């Protein structure tokens, strides 16, 4: 009964808009107050569990990945990447919409954030599409949907958090996101091709080899960042953390020394922003570890697992029930918060049903990305509104059809687990 009251308190506080850390901390104090008495709250144990939750070497990758994304975003690199993507696929019908997706795939290897993609690259994409006479609604919807690729393809902060909470290899999970991220991009491009043909969007001239070569030359050095990061992890030369450090240093040297688009003063401000963003992630993870301890101690995951398995012991049925739950949660909480709260509860259920936590991690992230495009708290929606000036209701209406290819990819990932596990298994065997 006490655990139920704690969870109800958490949900109410989150709905009221109280920050995630304070919501979890207050509901935790409610639990211990009712269980042990207000004068016997185990503050020493809470402190120990919080610190233990941050005692992971892999967490060093979080500020490093955030640093890479912010440096690349503020250095003007996004325009070079967009021009290169335009040279590759700009000749297709509805070309700039396809360019939008391809650019997001490339930028995903740097930012690892849907909101960063929407706010940084999105501004360039929407401006280019509007200049080419694409309507505002479609331009914004494509940009919003393509930004979801960011957290799926490495680097990805949500993947690191899930890997730590679920006890899964960070390297394996980062690699596991590559194929689903590419499949998501292809599914969006298929839908764009259908809409472009239906609306008779323009077809631009195919870029010459010389034009492709020039744009590639300009984008070559920035492209080495995601290639180095993913290549280092895949080859086993780097751990995820070491890859983050190497690529962060490379991004800084590229922006400050080579391109000279970021001054030392601006770099200092970037460091401040990254420290702030990293602090938010760390403090949420710290209290989430205490929350996880309480849930495990009260055997809530076991109770929920028994309830779900009593309905059906089919792995597919269990997965789809959890996806519905995650889609609902994603409407009201950010992906990071949902991962920290739900992972300790859902992973034991996956294991009990005979599933693979690594496979479930990517499926979970894909499902939570839908929440970034749905009201009332879809953060990508607000980022697109800020850079485009479109109204909330218009944007939601325009984005809704793009959820079809996204949900189709989620279903494919559930039905065909090899889509997620193939690369990690291949690389681990070698």
């Amino acid at each position: 009964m006490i655990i139920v009251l704690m969870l109800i308190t958490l949900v109410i506080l989150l709905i009221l808009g109280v920050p995630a850390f304070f919501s979890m901390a207050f509901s935790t104090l409610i639990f211990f107050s009712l269980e042990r008495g207000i004068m016997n709250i185990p503050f020493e144990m809470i402190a120990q569990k919080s610190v233990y939750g941050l005692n992971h070497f892999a967490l060093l990758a979080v500020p490093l990945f955030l640093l890479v994304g912010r440096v690349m975003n503020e250095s003007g690199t996004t325009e070079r990447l967009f021009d290169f993507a335009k040279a590759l696929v700009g000749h297709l019908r509805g070309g700039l919409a396809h360019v939008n997706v391809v650019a997001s795939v490339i930028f995903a290897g740097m930012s690892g954030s849907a909101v960063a993609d929407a706010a940084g690259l999105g501004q360039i994409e929407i401006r280019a599409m509007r200049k080419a006479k694409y309507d505002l609604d479609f331009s914004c919807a494509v940009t919003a949907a393509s930004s979801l690729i960011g957290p799926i393809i490495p680097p990805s902060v949500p993947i690191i958090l899930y890997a730590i909470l679920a006890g899964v290899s960070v390297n394996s999970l980062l690699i596991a996101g590559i194929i689903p991220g590419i499949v998501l991009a292809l599914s969006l491009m298929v839908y764009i091709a259908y809409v472009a043909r239906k609306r008779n969007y323009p077809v631009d001239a195919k870029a010459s080899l010389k034009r492709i070569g020039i744009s590639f030359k300009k984008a070559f050095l920035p492209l080495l960042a995601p290639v180095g990061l993913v290549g280092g992890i895949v080859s086993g030369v780097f751990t995820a953390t070491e890859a983050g450090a190497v690529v962060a240093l490379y991004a800084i040297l590229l922006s400050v020394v080579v391109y000279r688009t970021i001054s030392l003063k601006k770099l200092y401000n970037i460091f401040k922003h990254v420290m702030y963003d990293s602090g938010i992630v760390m403090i949420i993870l710290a209290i989430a570890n205490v929350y996880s301890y309480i849930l495990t101690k009260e055997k809530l995951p076991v109770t929920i697992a028994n309830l779900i398995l009593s309905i059906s012991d089919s792995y597919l049925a269990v997965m789809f029930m959890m996806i519905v739950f995650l889609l609902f949660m994603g409407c009201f909480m950010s992906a990071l918060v949902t991962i920290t709260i739900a992972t300790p509860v859902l992973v034991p259920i996956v294991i009990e049903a005979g599933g693979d936590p690594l496979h479930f991690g990517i499926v979970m992230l894909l499902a939570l990305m839908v929440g970034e495009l749905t009201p009332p708290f879809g953060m990508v929606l607000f980022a697109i509104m800020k850079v485009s000036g479109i109204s909330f209701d218009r944007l939601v209406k325009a984005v809704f059809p793009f959820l079809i290819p996204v949900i189709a990819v989620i279903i494919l990932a559930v039905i065909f687990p090899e889509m997620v596990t193939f690369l990690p298994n291949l690389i681990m065997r070698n």
Side-chain angles (χ1 to χ4, degrees):
M1 183 61 188
I2 299 177
I3 189 72
V4 173
L5 184 60
M6 181 186 79
L7 293 173
I8 291 174
T9 303
L10 173 66
V11 172
I12 291 174
L13 291 174
L14 288 171
I15 291 175
L16 291 175
V18 178
F21 168 75
F22 294 107
S23 298
M24 286 191 283
F26 184 75
S27 56
T28 298
L29 293 177
I30 291 290
F31 173 84
F32 285 122
S33 297
L34 295 176
E35 184 193 48
R36 307 188 183 193
I38 196 168
M39 300 303 294
N40 296 307
I41 296 175
F43 289 109
E44 296 85 357
M45 185 272 285
I46 292 174
Q48 289 173 351
K49 291 290 181 183
S50 298
V51 172
Y52 178 76
L54 300 178
N55 189 26
H56 293 277
F57 177 71
L59 277 178
L60 288 173
V62 172
L64 293 171
F65 285 174
L66 291 174
L67 180 59
V68 172
R70 189 168 280 272
V71 168
M72 287 298 194
N73 220 340
E74 306 233 356
S75 65
T77 302
T78 48
E79 293 187 11
R80 295 171 181 265
L81 299 177
F82 183 79
D83 286 342
F84 177 55
K86 186 177 179 180
L88 290 178
V89 297
H91 61 280
L92 301 175
R93 185 173 294 279
L96 284 182
H98 292 290
V99 171
N100 199 318
V101 175
V102 173
S104 291
V105 171
I106 298 171
F107 193 64
M110 302 177 192
S111 71
S113 166
V115 176
D117 189 328
L121 191 59
Q123 191 168 6
I124 299 170
E125 293 167 336
I126 293 172
R127 184 171 64 243
M129 291 183 72
R130 292 293 291 145
K131 189 175 180 180
K133 307 301 181 183
Y134 287 81
D135 60 270
L136 178 62
D137 296 39
F138 181 72
S139 303
C140 292
V142 171
T143 305
S146 67
S147 70
L148 301 191
I149 300 168
I152 308 300
I153 295 177
S156 172
V157 172
I159 281 180
I160 294 175
L161 291 187
Y162 173 86
I164 290 171
L165 291 168
V168 177
S169 165
V170 174
N171 281 15
S172 296
L173 198 60
L174 286 170
I175 294 166
I178 295 174
I179 292 179
I182 293 173
V183 172
L184 177 58
L186 292 174
S187 68
L188 289 172
M189 292 179 75
V190 168
Y191 179 74
I192 288 168
Y194 164 75
V195 174
R197 185 168 295 277
K198 185 178 179 181
R199 300 183 184 178
N200 197 31
Y201 280 135
V203 179
D204 292 335
K206 189 173 183 178
S208 64
L209 288 177
K210 182 179 180 181
R211 165 84 174 87
I212 295 174
I214 292 173
S215 63
F216 175 72
K217 184 178 179 181
K218 290 181 178 179
F220 177 72
L221 292 179
L223 285 172
L224 287 181
V227 170
L229 192 148
V230 176
I233 294 173
V234 169
S235 65
V237 175
F238 305 131
T239 64
T241 304
E242 292 165 346
V246 171
V247 177
L249 178 60
Y250 176 78
I252 291 171
L253 291 175
L254 187 64
S255 303
V256 175
V257 179
V258 179
Y259 292 147
R260 298 184 180 180
T261 50
I262 293 181
S263 64
L264 291 178
K265 182 179 180 181
K266 191 173 183 180
L267 183 63
Y268 171 73
N269 290 329
I270 289 173
F271 282 145
K272 286 201 301 183
H273 282 294
V274 170
M275 288 174 63
Y276 175 80
D277 293 340
S278 301
I280 292 174
V281 174
M282 297 302 177
I283 200 168
I284 290 175
L285 186 59
I287 194 63
N289 195 62
V290 181
Y291 222 80
S292 175
Y293 164 76
I294 294 172
L295 297 178
T296 304
K297 184 173 79 74
E298 294 298 308
K299 298 181 179 178
L300 184 65
V302 176
T303 303
I304 296 177
N306 291 335
L307 176 63
I308 290 178
L309 294 174
S310 67
I311 299 172
S312 174
D313 59 358
S314 165
Y315 175 65
L316 286 179
V318 170
M319 286 291 286
F320 282 118
M321 280 190 280
M322 288 194 287
I323 286 171
V324 171
F325 169 73
L326 290 169
L327 290 174
F328 174 77
M329 292 283 285
C331 291
F332 300 98
M333 289 187 284
S334 70
L336 290 180
V337 174
T338 306
I339 287 171
T340 54
I341 294 173
T343 299
V345 177
L346 299 183
V347 169
I349 301 174
V350 172
I351 295 172
E352 186 70 22
D356 182 354
L358 185 143
H359 170 237
F360 177 69
I362 299 300
V363 172
M364 181 182 192
L365 185 54
L366 283 167
L368 292 178
M369 285 301 99
V370 174
E372 300 286 351
L373 294 183
T374 54
F377 301 119
M379 295 307 297
V380 168
L381 297 179
F382 294 112
I384 295 296
M385 287 171 58
K386 184 176 180 181
V387 299
S388 69
I390 192 173
S391 65
F392 186 74
D393 57 329
R394 279 182 66 186
L395 180 58
V396 171
K397 185 178 179 181
V399 162
F400 187 76
F402 281 88
L403 296 180
I404 297 172
V406 177
I407 292 174
V409 172
I410 297 173
I411 295 172
L412 284 175
V414 172
I415 297 176
F416 302 104
E418 295 79 11
M419 192 171 101
V420 174
T421 59
F422 172 74
L423 270 185
N425 290 340
L426 178 68
I427 291 166
M428 287 184 69
R429 279 204 301 267
N430 295 332

